[in-house]
Amino acid sequence: MQQGEDVSHVPLIRDPSTGLEHTSPEIHSRDEPQALHQSQIHRPGRFLWTLTCTAGISGLLFGYDTGVISSALVSIQSGLSGRVLTTADKSIITSCTSLLALLVSPLAGILADRLGRKKLILVADALFILGALWQACTASVWGMVAGRGIVGLAIGAASMVVPLYISELAPSSYRGRLVTIFTLFITGGQVVAYLVGYVCSSHLSGWRWSLGLGALPAVLQALMLGFLPDTPRWLVKAGKIDAAKRVLEQVYGSGPGMRQVALTVLRAIDEEILEEDAHRTRHGHGRGPAKRTSCLGLARVHDQAGELCGVASNRRALTIACLLQGLQQLCGFNSLMYFSATIFSIVGFRSPTLTSLSIAITNFIFTLLAFALIDRIGRRRILLYSIPVMILGLAISSAAFHFVHLKSMPRVSGSGSSGSSSSSSGIDTPSVSPSDTPTPHDNNFAILTILVAMIIYVCGYASGIGNVPWQQSELFPLSVRSLGSSLATATNWGSNFVIGLTFLPMMDYLSPTLTFALYAVICVVGWVLVWLIYPETSGLSLEEVGDLLQRGWGVHAHAHVRRSGGDQGGVGVLHRRSLSGSAASASASSLQLHDERRSGEVDEHSA
């Protein structure tokens, strides 16, 4: 190597004593003292908190744009297209966000590998700004649908890449809590959305201001991200070893033994990439640099998809991630986020938007609880404890709705025609004679029971399934992490789309009692599946988590992997393939692929 040459831009080096390849003598030095395991780090430093909170602003935008539509649907009245919104209008306006998020999620996984995690967050910021301003200025229902669709593109990209960004930066002992900050920002954004919606509801066009204000956090995040780095794992994959090393040293700080921790993590990342490349070459998943000629590397994506579906451990990871993301939405929680004001106006609350605030505040408080407990109790146990609380809340809600004489039931109609009257909430209301109207004391106890039951349900949701699925990135090895995360996120948004599109029609045609009973049954099925196939991953490094699923679902393997990790200074394994064996047995074409990948991807990403 020439004097002063940047090691991040040179091909891999073969060690003549072992026959192995590596990127830098410093990365694989055996003279340094044994490093601490990541789980022994006492607390994250200021740099890591700054990275996490800056990325978490995307969660604030996610939550704000999800929550603000609830109050806006009540306040718009005839402000769009000169007519009262129908149930169909409301369902389309809310569900189009989920649909566009669903469509963009798989593409976001490709772009996260191609552009980097940080650049994709900046793209999402641009879409958040455009969507917020579009919604604030539109004058028609279909214009609102377009604006919500643009926001859906932003939310779909951000919800995939931000948990990935945080998990690839965080030490193993704090990864659960730091990723939970993303969810904490989501719930905080929902609280802010309800407060802003309540304040703006007293003004004729206040809903336009509440929607347009969503652009401000996106501007702030874009300015802050300009000074922050990408993740070390993406940098290593792009061949930028020196940059990755600098980021890791900043993440782990300058305390005793921290430099060795950073080098150990860097070594584990590098070895994982080498091992995955050798494995792909032996099994025909990689065929050289010619695959990078398409505009989005579609041939490479095809190979990643083959590896994701063709390797048993990856299939298990994808099954678990999709299960958790699907359950998070199909349990019905976002029906409260999208339609809570509508629900509370139907059952008879005088200030439905203000009542909805109790749901958002409960969500925020119990997300704080999850933040404190997720790494201590563990992902698996917190789900097994919290889902029964959700089932209890849904069951009570279902029973209480049976005794409530609804003030107005939503009807699917083409317009606010003369055959019905419209409530102040903008819901199409069938004409009701005075004799059909219940007296207040007939409903009061059941109405308050519904509110309390929904709060119980949100307590369980926010402390468990509202947070755990966003830990999805830790389940996948680096080679398929972006693609696997994007498909799991697409499952989330596909389920979200179903909930947004079907909730009001189900309330209308099935009745609220059966609607909430159905959500309770889904939660029961979800609890059983979590108990059967979801292993504990708390305290394990990203490289160690992959070993859990090598032989079966790994439900009882956590302690074994954790002990192995502690013995090996942070590169723990259950039965990791021997690097020396796999690398030494790789063919000459495999070795050439390593060189071409590192040198070629540097040029590609630089371009």
Side-chain angles (χ1 to χ4, degrees):
M1 183 183 302
Q2 299 298 319
Q3 183 70 26
E5 186 176 358
D6 186 354
V7 71
S8 66
H9 295 277
V10 297
L12 299 169
I13 303 169
R14 176 178 288 239
D15 187 333
S17 63
T18 63
L20 300 183
E21 294 178 313
H22 55 84
T23 49
S24 167
E26 184 176 15
I27 294 178
H28 293 276
S29 172
R30 305 300 178 189
D31 297 332
E32 59 199 44
Q34 183 174 356
L36 297 170
H37 190 270
Q38 295 179 57
S39 62
Q40 296 173 271
I41 295 172
H42 296 300
R43 60 181 181 274
R46 184 181 304 172
F47 177 75
L48 186 54
W49 281 116
T50 301
L51 289 174
T52 303
C53 292
T54 300
I57 295 176
S58 291
L60 179 70
L61 290 161
F62 180 171
Y64 185 86
D65 282 304
T66 302
V68 76
I69 197 62
S70 177
S71 58
L73 289 176
V74 173
S75 303
I76 288 173
Q77 299 187 19
S78 59
L80 294 174
S81 299
R83 60 177 173 81
V84 174
L85 295 179
T86 67
T87 298
D89 292 332
K90 293 181 177 183
S91 295
I92 293 171
I93 288 172
T94 54
S95 60
C96 72
T97 304
S98 306
L99 177 61
L100 270 295
L102 163 65
L103 295 177
V104 81
S105 294
L107 179 61
I110 299 171
L111 293 177
D113 278 340
R114 182 79 173 185
L115 302 177
R117 286 50 163 149
K118 187 178 91 168
K119 288 182 180 178
L120 185 56
I121 297 175
L122 290 172
V123 171
D125 283 332
L127 292 171
F128 273 121
I129 295 169
L130 176 61
L133 298 179
W134 189 300
Q135 292 175 87
C137 297
T138 190
S140 68
V141 170
W142 289 108
M144 179 61 73
V145 170
R148 295 296 298 170
I150 294 171
V151 168
L153 295 175
I155 292 177
S159 60
M160 192 289 295
V161 74
V162 172
L164 174 62
Y165 181 84
I166 296 173
S167 67
E168 288 191 341
L169 283 162
S172 60
S173 56
Y174 283 88
R175 189 174 59 249
R177 274 168 278 186
L178 292 177
V179 174
T180 300
I181 287 179
F182 173 67
T183 314
L184 192 61
F185 271 91
I186 294 175
T187 58
Q190 289 165 347
V191 172
V192 172
Y194 283 120
L195 288 172
V196 171
Y198 176 70
V199 171
C200 293
S201 63
S202 59
H203 302 282
L204 181 61
S205 297
W207 59 271
R208 294 187 182 275
W209 285 98
S210 64
L211 292 170
L213 286 173
L216 293 181
V219 173
L220 175 64
Q221 184 183 46
L223 293 175
M224 295 177 67
L225 272 177
F227 301 96
L228 299 177
D230 216 310
T231 71
R233 285 168 173 84
W234 183 82
L235 291 170
V236 171
K237 196 172 181 180
K240 302 177 182 180
I241 305 298
D242 282 350
K245 180 171 174 288
R246 287 192 297 270
V247 173
L248 284 169
E249 288 177 345
Q250 288 178 291
V251 166
Y252 290 102
S254 56
M258 288 301 102
R259 184 174 182 275
Q260 285 72 29
V261 171
L263 288 175
T264 300
V265 173
L266 186 61
R267 181 186 304 124
I269 296 168
D270 191 60
E271 289 179 351
E272 182 185 15
I273 293 174
L274 293 177
E275 185 177 344
E276 288 169 354
D277 280 350
H279 178 77
R280 273 200 305 274
T281 301
R282 290 196 308 274
H283 291 81
H285 294 304
R287 292 185 296 272
K291 306 169 70 60
R292 291 190 288 268
T293 57
S294 61
C295 61
L296 287 175
L298 295 181
R300 184 192 303 171
V301 174
H302 179 270
D303 283 344
Q304 288 179 333
E307 184 178 359
L308 182 62
C309 299
V311 178
S313 59
N314 293 343
R315 286 198 305 272
R316 296 185 191 107
L318 184 63
T319 300
I320 294 169
C322 290
L323 162 68
L324 296 180
Q325 289 287 15
L327 179 60
Q328 186 189 74
Q329 297 303 321
L330 294 176
C331 70
F333 175 78
N334 269 334
S335 63
L336 295 183
M337 288 298 99
Y338 293 142
F339 301 114
S340 58
T342 301
I343 294 170
F344 292 134
S345 67
I346 288 173
V347 299
F349 283 95
R350 292 182 179 179
S351 181
T353 300
L354 190 60
T355 308
S356 299
L357 186 60
S358 63
I359 299 296
I361 291 176
T362 302
N363 193 20
F364 180 78
I365 291 173
F366 278 83
T367 302
L368 279 174
L369 179 66
F371 171 77
L373 297 178
I374 191 168
D375 282 318
R376 298 177 184 178
I377 295 180
R379 287 81 152 131
R380 173 182 164 86
R381 282 200 294 170
I382 207 168
L383 286 181
L384 295 177
Y385 294 160
S386 62
I387 292 177
V389 178
M390 296 169 58
I391 296 170
L392 175 64
L394 289 169
I396 295 174
S397 294
S398 176
F401 266 114
H402 181 71
F403 298 98
V404 172
H405 299 282
L406 298 179
K407 175 182 175 183
S408 59
M409 279 299 295
R411 298 291 181 213
V412 180
S413 60
S415 63
S417 61
S418 59
S420 65
S421 62
S422 296
S423 73
S424 60
S425 65
I427 303 167
D428 294 336
T429 310
S431 299
V432 181
S433 65
S435 62
D436 295 328
T437 304
T439 56
H441 67 268
D442 291 334
N443 279 338
N444 283 347
F445 179 76
I447 289 172
L448 290 176
T449 300
I450 289 173
L451 177 60
V452 171
M454 287 184 176
I455 289 175
I456 292 172
Y457 166 70
V458 172
C459 291
Y461 176 90
S463 58
I465 197 66
N467 296 281
V468 174
W470 296 114
Q471 312 290 331
Q472 61 191 14
S473 301
E474 68 187 10
L475 294 169
F476 299 100
L478 183 59
S479 60
V480 296
R481 186 169 296 150
S482 292
L483 183 60
S485 297
S486 67
L487 293 178
T489 304
T491 302
N492 179 292
W493 288 110
S495 304
N496 190 309
F497 173 71
V498 171
I499 291 297
L501 194 61
T502 61
F503 176 71
L504 288 182
M506 286 171 61
M507 291 278 285
D508 186 5
Y509 295 118
L510 290 183
S511 79
T513 295
L514 291 180
T515 299
F516 282 84
L518 176 61
Y519 294 151
V521 171
I522 291 172
C523 288
V524 171
V525 174
W527 186 92
V528 172
L529 292 175
V530 167
W531 181 75
L532 289 174
I533 69 173
Y534 184 41
E536 185 55 66
T537 58
S538 62
L540 302 178
S541 71
L542 291 178
E543 289 68 39
E544 290 168 348
V545 170
D547 295 317
L548 276 175
L549 302 175
Q550 292 287 341
R551 296 178 183 172
W553 296 100
V555 171
H556 304 294
H558 175 270
H560 189 169
V561 174
R562 183 65 194 86
R563 284 195 301 270
S564 179
D567 295 340
Q568 299 190 29
V571 193
V573 293
L574 178 60
H575 46 24
R576 182 184 295 263
R577 295 182 299 271
S578 169
L579 178 64
S580 58
S582 63
S585 62
S587 64
S589 62
S590 171
L591 302 182
Q592 181 181 8
L593 172 63
H594 291 315
D595 292 346
E596 290 169 338
R597 176 182 60 78
R598 282 297 172 84
S599 58
E601 286 189 1
V602 169
D603 296 337
E604 177 186 357
H605 288 290
S606 298

